[in-house]
Amino acid sequence: GPKLSRAQFCANPEGTTRLPPSRDAAFEIGSISKTMTAFLVADLIDAGRWSLDDPIARHLPEGAVVPRQGDRQILVRDLLTHSAGLPRLPPDFKPRSRANPYADLTENEVLAALGRVQFNEPIGSKSVYSNFGMMIVSIAVARAWRADGADLEQVLTKRLFGPLQMGHAYIASAPAGQRVATGHVMSGATTPAWTMATNLGGVGMVRATLDDLVNYTRAHLGLMDTPLLARLR
């Protein structure tokens, strides 16, 4: 098969000699997490539980207020393609800490913010990157598994990380003994990891090692024997 190469680099400020993280250290992979949340949507569609044309309101808690334009509702496909007309972040979002901006954000606050949205464009007409929209998807996906008592992290572990042998990937509950890469700002000073309510974490809170992401990539390229291939593509 194709040759696989791995490389590690460490951006050291001038005059320092910091060693690179160990190969088995987990990194914050940021918005790559969104593709994993989209996989869980594909998984639900494959099981006949969801459709891309479902109004997202169908999959949110009872009483959630979802804005609409006449008969046009926000559909699952609108959120996955960032074309639901939602802003990048929830309206009136004011993080208490710039170093960890999402730490205090709750599912209820995100849903309440959804009810305050005022559209500037027709739903589905324009693609504009929205973390807010993917938070809504994250909540909905987690809720789809609520009868099993599972949170988003447990669902990802069962449906994706386990089958693809991504044994060090997680959102909040690190595997025992897991090493974690330390983050740094441009000055070279260390900075704490971001945290977030687990069921919102599908927006960008997955941690994973280099080997986890190698397996994730191999699976997407059809280089791993896995029944998940159709849903990954």
Side-chain angles (χ1 to χ4, degrees), residues 105-129:
L105 190 63
T106 68
E107 292 179 57
N108 285 340
E109 287 172 342
V110 170
L111 291 172
L114 181 62
R116 296 194 298 270
V117 166
Q118 300 291 318
F119 293 114
N120 295 319
E121 306 278 352
I123 298 170
S125 67
K126 187 177 180 182
S127 183
V128 178
Y129 192 81

Side-chain angles (χ1 to χ4, degrees), residues 46-83:
D46 190 57
R49 297 176 60 186
W50 281 30
S51 161
L52 285 175
D53 291 315
D54 285 350
I56 195 60
R58 185 176 302 171
H59 304 299
L60 293 175
E62 186 176 352
V65 177
V66 183
R68 57 195 295 170
Q69 293 173 323
D71 292 334
R72 180 64 160 95
Q73 300 187 60
I74 295 175
L75 309 179
V76 171
R77 71 167 67 246
D78 298 323
L79 291 166
L80 292 178
T81 57
H82 296 262
S83 57

